[in-house]
């Protein structure tokens, strides 16, 4: 089962070696989790930010386009490393799981306890299923090409339906001062954000409005197609990263 | 050692997550020129200064966007939004009106026009708050109005806030279906956790042996994957797709009627201003730094049929009162009212006459409110609002503005 014991190390017995390998796991895995939480939170705050912080920003045009493109980056880069070096289909699920964990902690501590926003206005969306799509597809096809073509496409396509069970309730119409609003819009108006005036919300502003009813599916398919290229690009970056590390080790 | 490293990492993670919820309280931080030449606020008041959680607070007032709006600052005539400077949602805003138009959407305000606003707030969290009306101007930032201290007592836990949907349901804004949201999010996290646990913890030790094996296999590394691995891959793919589809159908069934998020820009008609029977032009304006004294020469034509006196000069939210005409006291320790700081030479102006006047606005407020840094401005122009009163107490106002010369000795 275990690899042959090398003679020239201090580790002499298989049992001792096994113990040191286990210790290595127990040290590295939590560190990787913390690392993913930190890096991904930073990356996501930078690229998605308000679109994910506030319930009244998760529209059907920009949020489902920006989010899959941003959320695919680290699963691709770290996914390459984990698959290439360890044959672990975990890049998607593990990174997005860490992101979600960090997001829940941050929304609770910073947005709810510190800044007083009610949790039902600032909770994070559900993205971890997108990571599962990428990982399962990679495991089943064992091909970057097909994982991109099918998996990354599904990520763009399904981000909206995957979140609809928690978003739909916020899109129920409300009348306020003779103006049509959604429950989410009422949150945005009533819970004062001094630094986020209404005009800053980047939602639903597009010429594609002419497609009328079909906005959501159209955005989804569009996001899916762009995300295929996006995934392949970041896989390539991941492969360059792995090579660069290896070259440095050899030199 | 290792523990402190982990702590440091946690700290890093958390610090990265802190949102940018900049507070609006930087009333003194803004450049004086910006404060004087953006929005002239007046008559700002609150309905009460002591209230309980769940009580209503109405903030009222008027503003006139300055005719001297700086060229280099994005105009208030683009996109702007009347907001309220409270530290986060310590209050909820139930209503906001500008000249009767709802202030829910963004709008534009026009220079020289009058806007009367009324913002209805409901106290949510106990505390002492300096409440300011403010206007967010796209690409320019917030223009902050005068602040008033308000104290909220009571218990935060008692706070309630509901909304009624067009379908007749009542929404508890503080905990809207939150159990459902958490359950749904937790379901996804559990599915993902199962996948992660299978791969990370079902074979131990993992990293070193697996890394060695994959390196040995090279091109054939896929051989390390077991049939169970693949079967689980298929199973989790099916679970993911089914939960997604099932959730979508369930949500459509439970909330069949939804509308997209609403946004847009509305037109807010300016208020009809009473005719101002006077004309004011500003002559020389000199600020004497050692005396904290502003001397401004004016030419005033009184076109009314009553004598007019200058009662107040207001600039950048500082109010200089002529005590001979007006009796106004600061409402709290941070109310920027100098009750006896305006001296007027040549007032009152008889009906129908044109006169040259000199006003002196002398007060330490220029210094304490950091207005003196205006001499460091690359564009030394000031503006302010003059309030005139006739002998029956009727008020007129006129904005003045122009270049300012500092006097150093
Ligand atoms: Cu203040």
């Amino acid at each position: 089962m275990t690899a042959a014991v090398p003679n020239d190390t201090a580790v002499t017995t298989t049992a001792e070696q096994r113990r040191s390998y286990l210790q290595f796991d127990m040290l590295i895995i939590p560190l990787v989790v913390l690392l993913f939480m930190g890096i991904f939170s930073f990356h996501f705050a930078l690229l998605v930010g308000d679109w994910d912080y506030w319930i009244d920003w998760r529209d059907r045009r920009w949020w489902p386009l920006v989010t899959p493109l941003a959320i695919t980056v680290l699963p691709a880069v770290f996914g390459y490393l984990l698959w290439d070096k360890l044959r672990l289909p975990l890049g998607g699920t593990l990174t997005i799981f860490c992101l979600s964990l960090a997001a829940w902690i941050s929304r609770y501590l910073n947005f709810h306890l510190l800044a007083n926003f009610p949790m039902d206005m600032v909770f994070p969306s559900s993205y971890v299923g997108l990571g599962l799509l990428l990982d399962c597809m990679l495991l089943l096809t064992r091909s970057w090409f097909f994982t991109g073509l099918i998996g990354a496409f599904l990520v763009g396509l399904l981000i909206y339906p995957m979140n609809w069970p928690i978003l739909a309730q916020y899109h129920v119409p409300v009348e306020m001062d003779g103006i049509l609003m959604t429950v989410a819009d009422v949150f945005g108006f009533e819970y004062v954000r001094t630094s986020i005036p209404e005009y800053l919300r980047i939602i639903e502003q597009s010429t594609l409005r002419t497609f009328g009813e079909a906005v959501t599916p159209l955005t989804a398919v569009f996001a899916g197609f762009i995300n295929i290229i996006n995934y392949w690009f970041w896989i390539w970056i991941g492969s360059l990263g792995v090579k660069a590390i290896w070259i440095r080790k050899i030199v | 050692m290792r523990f402190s490293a982990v702590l440091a990492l946690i700290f890093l993670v958390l610090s990265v997550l802190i949102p940018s919820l900049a507070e609006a309280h930087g009333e003194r931080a803004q450049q004086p020129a910006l404060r004087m030449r953006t929005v002239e606020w007046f008559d700002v008041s609150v309905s009460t200064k002591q209230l309980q959680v769940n009580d209503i607070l109405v903030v009222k007032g008027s503003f006139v966007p300055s005719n001297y709006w700086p060229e280099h600052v994005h105009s208030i005539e683009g996109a702007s939004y009347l907001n309220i400077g409270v530290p986060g949602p310590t209050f909820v805003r139930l209503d906001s009106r500008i000249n009767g138009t709802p202030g829910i959407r963004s709008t534009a305000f026009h220079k020289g026009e009058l806007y009367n606003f009324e913002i209805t707030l409901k106290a949510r969290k106990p505390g002492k708050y300096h409440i300011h009306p403010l206007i967010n101007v796209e690409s320019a930032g917030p223009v902050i109005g005068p602040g008033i201290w308000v104290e909220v007592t009571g218990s935060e836990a008692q706070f309630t806030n509901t909304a009624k949907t067009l379908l007749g349901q009542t929404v508890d804004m503080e905990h809207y279906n939150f159990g459902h949201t958490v359950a749904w999010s937790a379901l996804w996290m559990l599915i993902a956790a199962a996948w992660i646990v299978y791969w990370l913890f079902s074979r131990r030790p993992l990293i070193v042996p697996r890394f060695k094996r994959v390196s040995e296999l090279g091109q054939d590394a896929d051989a390390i994957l077991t049939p169970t691995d693949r079967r689980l891959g298929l199973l989790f793919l099916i679970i993911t797709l089914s939960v997604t589809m099932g959730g979508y159908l369930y949500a459509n069934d439970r909330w069949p009627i939804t509308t997209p998020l609403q946004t847009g820009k509305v037109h807010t008609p300016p208020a009809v201003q009473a005719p101002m029977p006077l004309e004011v032009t500003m002559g020389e304006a000199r600020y004497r730094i050692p005396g904290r004294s502003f001397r401004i020469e004016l030419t005033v034509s009184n076109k009314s049929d009553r004598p007019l006196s200058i009662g107040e000069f207001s600039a950048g939210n500082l109010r200089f009162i002529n005590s001979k005409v007006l009796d106004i006291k600061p409402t709290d320790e941070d109310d920027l009212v100098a009750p006896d700081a305006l001296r007027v030479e040549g007032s009152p102006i008889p009906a129908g006459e044109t006169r040259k006047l000199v006003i002196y606005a002398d007060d330490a407020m220029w210094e304490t409110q950091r207005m003196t840094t205006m001499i460091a401005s690359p564009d030394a122009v000031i503006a302010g609002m003059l309030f005139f009163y006739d002998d029956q107490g009727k008020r007129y106002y006129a904005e003045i503005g122009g270049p300012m010369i500092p006097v150093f000795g």
Side-chain angles (χ1 to χ4, degrees):
Chain A
M1 280 301 288
T2 43
V5 182
N7 298 322
D8 53 345
T9 64
V11 184
T12 47
T13 68
T14 315
E16 272 177 52
Q17 192 187 45
R18 191 184 134 82
R19 225 182 50 219
S20 71
Y21 285 172
L22 277 173
Q23 277 175 349
F24 186 75
D25 282 0
M26 287 303 120
L27 177 66
I28 290 299
I29 292 172
L31 277 177
V32 164
V33 165
L34 280 173
L35 193 74
F36 282 171
M37 284 172 79
I39 298 179
F40 213 157
S41 298
F42 186 73
H43 163 89
F44 210 61
L46 226 58
L47 291 180
V48 181
D50 288 318
W51 270 301
D52 197 60
Y53 294 156
W54 314 104
I55 193 68
D56 65 326
W57 277 67
R58 291 171 223 180
D59 71 330
R60 54 180 188 171
R61 157 145 326 285
W62 289 108
W63 172 75
L65 181 61
V66 174
T67 316
L69 296 183
I71 213 162
T72 300
V73 175
L74 296 193
V77 172
F78 289 108
Y80 187 91
L81 177 80
L82 287 169
W83 182 257
D84 192 53
K85 295 296 160 205
L86 295 169
R87 272 303 181 277
L88 288 175
L90 270 181
T93 317
L94 187 60
T95 51
I96 302 180
F97 185 86
C98 292
L99 168 75
S100 304
L101 210 62
W104 273 96
I105 295 171
S106 159
R107 301 304 159 80
Y108 183 72
L109 293 180
N110 294 319
F111 284 73
H112 181 60
L113 291 189
L114 204 73
N116 294 311
F117 288 95
M119 274 308 282
D120 57 353
M121 179 181 181
V122 295
F123 65 88
S125 312
S126 273
Y127 299 126
V128 79
L130 305 172
L132 279 166
L133 287 174
L134 289 174
D135 290 345
C136 293
M137 213 47 85
L138 180 60
L139 175 63
L140 293 175
T141 66
R142 295 176 294 284
S143 143
W144 299 118
F145 178 77
F146 284 108
T147 304
L149 199 67
I150 309 166
F153 179 75
L154 285 178
V155 166
L157 190 74
L158 295 183
I159 193 164
Y160 201 81
M162 195 175 275
N163 279 282
W164 193 236
I166 47 178
L167 285 188
Q169 53 189 335
Y170 289 93
H171 288 236
V172 174
V174 176
E175 185 193 332
M176 196 176 205
D177 297 338
I179 294 174
L180 175 67
M181 316 250 291
T182 63
V183 172
D185 296 318
V186 175
F187 272 99
F189 174 70
E190 290 194 342
Y191 292 79
V192 180
R193 292 166 299 197
T194 311
S195 52
I196 305 180
E198 209 281 330
Y199 59 73
L200 270 191
R201 282 202 298 162
I202 303 166
I203 60 165
E204 293 276 341
Q205 289 159 356
S206 168
T207 48
L208 279 175
R209 260 186 183 173
T210 41
F211 287 100
E213 286 284 293
V215 170
T216 318
L218 223 84
T219 308
V221 172
F222 181 59
F225 278 123
I226 300 221
N227 206 36
I228 296 175
I229 312 287
N230 183 46
Y231 180 78
W232 285 338
F233 174 77
W234 290 107
I235 285 294
W236 178 64
I237 295 289
S239 74
L240 290 186
V242 168
K243 272 190 206 121
I245 293 167
W246 250 244
I247 287 164
R248 212 171 50 223
K249 256 195 156 175
I250 292 163
V251 174
Chain B
M1 261 318 269
R2 200 187 298 166
F3 181 67
S4 65
V6 169
L7 266 186
L9 255 171
I10 291 173
F11 183 75
L12 179 84
V13 168
L14 292 182
S15 63
V16 157
L17 303 178
I18 290 175
S20 57
L21 296 163
E23 271 189 31
H25 209 78
E27 50 225 85
R28 283 191 296 183
Q30 223 163 28
Q31 276 180 40
L34 283 185
R35 278 186 270 165
M36 286 190 278
R37 293 169 58 191
T38 45
V39 173
E40 309 286 359
W41 300 88
F42 52 98
D43 297 343
V44 174
S45 70
V46 290
S47 59
T48 175
K49 301 185 122 207
Q50 274 286 340
L51 66 163
Q52 296 259 321
V53 167
N54 283 323
D55 284 355
I56 298 295
L57 175 72
V58 180
V59 183
K60 264 189 197 179
S62 301
F63 63 87
V64 175
S66 175
N67 284 308
Y68 300 89
W69 193 280
E71 208 50 52
H72 64 277
V73 178
H74 271 86
S75 175
I76 195 168
E77 299 189 336
S80 39
Y81 186 74
L82 174 72
N83 215 329
I84 188 85
V86 291
T90 47
F91 290 80
V92 291
R93 169 173 42 202
L94 298 183
D95 194 54
S96 168
R97 302 268 172 168
I98 308 132
N99 294 339
T101 303
I104 296 171
R105 301 261 199 273
S106 304
T107 185
F109 300 117
H110 295 275
K111 295 177 199 169
E113 297 287 358
L114 172 67
Y115 297 92
N116 303 309
F117 65 89
E118 189 172 323
I119 302 169
T120 308
L121 304 170
K122 185 177 180 183
R124 181 162 176 261
K125 191 184 160 79
K128 200 160 182 251
Y129 307 110
H130 208 213
I131 301 217
H132 299 254
L134 68 94
I135 295 173
N136 299 97
V137 178
E138 191 170 32
S139 308
V143 177
I144 302 160
I148 301 174
W149 283 106
V150 165
E151 193 176 6
V152 177
T153 50
S155 147
E156 194 180 356
Q158 303 290 307
F159 178 76
T160 57
N161 185 25
T162 57
K164 205 160 171 95
T165 70
L166 275 176
L167 310 175
Q169 305 139 335
T170 301
V171 171
D172 171 7
M173 298 294 280
E174 294 285 307
H175 319 94
Y176 179 41
N177 285 350
F178 195 56
H180 163 83
T181 303
V182 169
W184 196 258
S185 308
L187 172 67
W188 276 117
M189 291 297 268
L190 281 176
I191 299 172
W195 180 258
I196 292 168
V197 165
Y198 172 74
W199 287 99
L200 287 188
F201 301 106
S202 71
R203 48 215 110 189
R204 307 175 64 222
L206 176 75
I207 300 171
V208 179
R210 199 170 172 90
F211 173 74
K212 284 185 173 167
R213 189 88 187 99
V214 168
S215 307
E216 277 167 24
L217 287 170
Q219 288 296 312
D220 305 316
D222 285 346
I224 201 172
L225 302 165
T226 66
T228 313
D229 289 346
R230 289 196 203 139
R231 256 178 255 131
L232 275 176
L234 188 61
L235 177 70
F236 271 79
L237 182 65
I238 292 169
I239 292 176
T240 304
L241 292 173
S242 322
V243 173
T244 305
M245 274 318 289
Y248 183 71
L249 294 174
Y250 158 79
N252 273 344
D253 189 53
R254 183 164 168 194
W255 295 283
I257 300 172
T258 56
T259 46
L261 296 183
Q262 301 288 308
T263 181
K265 199 172 153 188
V266 298
H267 171 64
T268 304
V272 179
Q273 301 192 58
M276 299 290 163
L278 57 112
E279 230 163 65
V280 187
T281 47
M282 190 177 98
E284 215 179 67
R286 287 185 189 272
Y287 180 69
R288 182 177 289 277
I289 295 161
R292 294 147 166 173
S293 165
F294 224 122
R295 179 184 183 277
I296 303 171
E297 293 174 0
L298 302 168
T299 308
V300 182
S301 300
N302 179 357
K303 295 175 176 171
S304 78
D305 46 13
R306 304 208 155 265
L308 290 178
S309 315
I310 297 178
E312 177 180 344
F313 174 60
S314 145
N317 291 339
L318 311 189
R319 301 174 64 194
F320 301 88
I321 309 294
N322 180 357
S323 61
K324 294 197 180 84
V325 179
L326 285 180
D327 180 25
I328 295 178
K329 299 271 178 285
T331 55
D332 56 51
E333 68 275 20
D334 290 311
D335 192 6
L336 304 178
V337 172
D340 185 21
L342 188 70
R343 212 148 41 84
V344 183
E345 286 173 1
S347 178
I349 311 127
E353 270 192 35
T354 297
R355 267 207 195 172
K356 281 196 183 301
L357 274 72
V358 181
I359 62 169
Y360 297 87
D362 304 346
D363 197 88
M365 274 198 317
W366 289 113
E367 191 93 26
T368 56
Q369 294 304 311
R370 294 193 218 148
M371 291 294 264
T372 45
T373 57
M374 66 186 149
I375 61 163
S377 165
D379 176 14
V381 171
I382 59 131
M385 197 74 128
L386 282 172
F387 293 91
F388 294 82
Y389 291 82
D390 70 13
D391 54 354
Q392 292 182 325
K394 192 166 162 49
R395 185 179 76 173
Y396 303 102
Y397 55 83
E399 195 188 24
I400 55 167
M404 179 273 304
I405 308 285
V407 181
F408 297 96

